[in-house]
Amino acid sequence: MAMGSATSRTDSAEAAPRAKRPGGRSARVQSAVYAAVGQLVGAGQRETMTIPEVADLAGVNPTSIYRRWGSIDVLLGEVAVAALTQGELLPDTGVLRDDVAEWARVIAADIGRPKRRAYLRAMVAARDGVVEVCPCWEIRREQAEEMIARAREHGESAPSVRQLLDHVIAPLYHHAVFGLAVDDEYVAELIDDVVSMFSPRGPA
């Protein structure tokens, strides 16, 4: 997945994942703050952590965190999105079903880890206002669009982006948030379901 006013939280959380990667001192501050949030989440302090606690652990001035993130909710949301979506290579096997299966397995293995579940729940908790756009979801949408476009260029039948998100990604995140299994068997069931929606039908 985590996870001011509700509007300002949403705007800041949406902008952060697409912002330019900071360099120099800014990058060092971000890295230290992200690491501090990760430590506090791992220690079970997701619900109680404060910006002064994060600043103390990160070794930075609390004013720097307030100026950049504004609130603990925005910070939690940004760190969760970064933790849940970075460092992945999009599969390119030449076959859409295999791409989607590998993509889903990697996501499931990641969000099934205890710390990742905590990040995902933090992101959900941080987005307590009206949610129109979720950065994590938009990243998954872009990945789905890329795989589907590539498959169609190869002449493969493909589901819609919405089908792929609603029938593979959404159930995985739902299970992770509620502590249900997101193992390979469950992933395989989801893939079978979505593939049945677009596989060419044989003669009647």
Side-chain angles (χ1 to χ4, degrees):
M1 92 209 29
M3 110 126 91
S5 68
T7 301
S8 65
R9 283 201 302 272
T10 300
D11 291 345
S12 300
E14 287 166 11
R18 302 180 185 278
K20 265 188 183 177
R21 181 173 295 178
R25 182 177 181 279
S26 181
R28 290 193 295 273
V29 168
Q30 182 189 68
S31 179
V33 169
Y34 275 26
V37 171
Q39 285 182 265
L40 291 169
V41 168
Q45 297 181 47
R46 173 176 59 90
E47 302 286 353
T48 60
M49 76 173 74
T50 64
I51 284 180
E53 287 175 334
V54 173
D56 183 60
L57 190 57
V60 303
N61 193 305
T63 303
S64 298
I65 298 180
Y66 282 115
R67 183 168 57 244
R68 182 164 179 173
W69 286 282
S71 74
I72 194 68
D73 283 352
V74 171
L75 175 58
L76 274 168
E78 181 179 314
V79 174
V81 169
L84 291 164
T85 58
Q86 289 185 358
E88 304 166 1
L89 294 176
L90 201 59
D92 187 4
T93 66
V95 179
L96 180 59
R97 177 181 181 136
D98 294 344
D99 286 349
V100 173
E102 180 60 23
W103 180 55
R105 279 195 294 267
V106 169
I107 293 171
D110 187 54
I111 64 178
R113 295 160 52 194
K115 183 176 284 191
R116 290 297 195 255
R117 288 182 191 262
Y119 276 129
L120 186 56
R121 289 165 180 154
M123 184 169 64
V124 172
R127 299 179 65 80
D128 59 357
V130 176
V131 178
E132 295 181 357
V133 178
C134 173
C136 188
W137 190 252
E138 290 306 304
I139 289 169
R140 298 305 181 201
R141 181 188 302 280
E142 291 170 4
Q143 292 174 334
E145 287 173 348
E146 182 178 338
M147 287 188 293
I148 289 171
R150 195 167 59 204
R152 287 176 175 162
E153 286 176 3
H154 297 161
E156 285 189 78
S157 297
S160 67
V161 171
R162 180 171 180 175
Q163 284 175 322
L164 200 54
L165 293 173
D166 286 355
H167 295 277
V168 177
I169 301 304
L172 288 176
Y173 279 93
H174 172 273
H175 270 49
V177 167
F178 287 97
L180 303 174
V182 286
D183 53 21
D184 285 352
E185 181 179 354
Y186 182 58
V187 170
E189 291 174 0
L190 296 177
I191 301 303
D192 286 343
D193 287 344
V194 78
V195 165
S196 70
M197 298 176 187
F198 68 91
S199 293
R201 295 181 182 276

